[in-house]
Amino acid sequence: MLTDEQIKAAKKVTPYSSGESPLHEHNDCIRFAYEWLDAQAKTKGLVKTPFQIKHLIERWAGRYVSTSDVEVAAFLHPDVRGKYPYFNISSRLTNPSTKRILNLDQAFSQNQNDRHDLTNYSRNE
């Protein structure tokens, strides 16, 4: 699991896509994004048709996640390349197990992933 120190350092050097100041509400949001990205199958090339990744992560984790959170998570992940939303993940998305985030205090703090739509995913972890 990512430490607060790792996240703090990454926030300083992540190449954000937006020209605005990055938005981060809680470090757990970056951890949600990291775990969601970790569950996805990685490809050689970047995805051609982008997904609304932040929304998929929010619905899975039951809490708001910013684009900036996803960008930091992707920057920290050793197997993820690309810029939001064009990462090297398979277009056949994997629905991550919620076991990945059950130990995080912010998981399901804003809803119980009731909008999580399994039809967005081809596989389950």
Side-chain angles (χ1 to χ4, degrees), residues 1-12 14 16 22-38 53-54 57-58 60-61 63-77 80 100-101 104 106-107:
M1 190 63 64
L2 298 174
T3 66
D4 284 339
E5 293 78 26
Q6 289 172 305
I7 292 170
K8 182 179 178 182
K11 285 178 183 177
K12 293 177 183 176
T14 295
Y16 296 102
L23 172 66
H24 301 290
E25 289 186 357
H26 196 283
N27 284 346
D28 279 356
C29 300
I30 294 168
R31 292 180 182 105
F32 299 148
Y34 185 95
E35 291 299 327
W36 189 93
L37 288 167
D38 190 58
I53 295 172
K54 78 173 236 63
I57 297 168
E58 288 172 342
W60 170 68
R63 193 200 190 289
Y64 174 79
V65 172
S66 70
T67 300
S68 303
D69 293 330
V70 179
E71 290 174 319
V72 172
F75 179 80
L76 283 166
H77 199 289
V80 175
R100 288 175 169 267
I101 58 171
L104 298 175
Q106 293 293 308

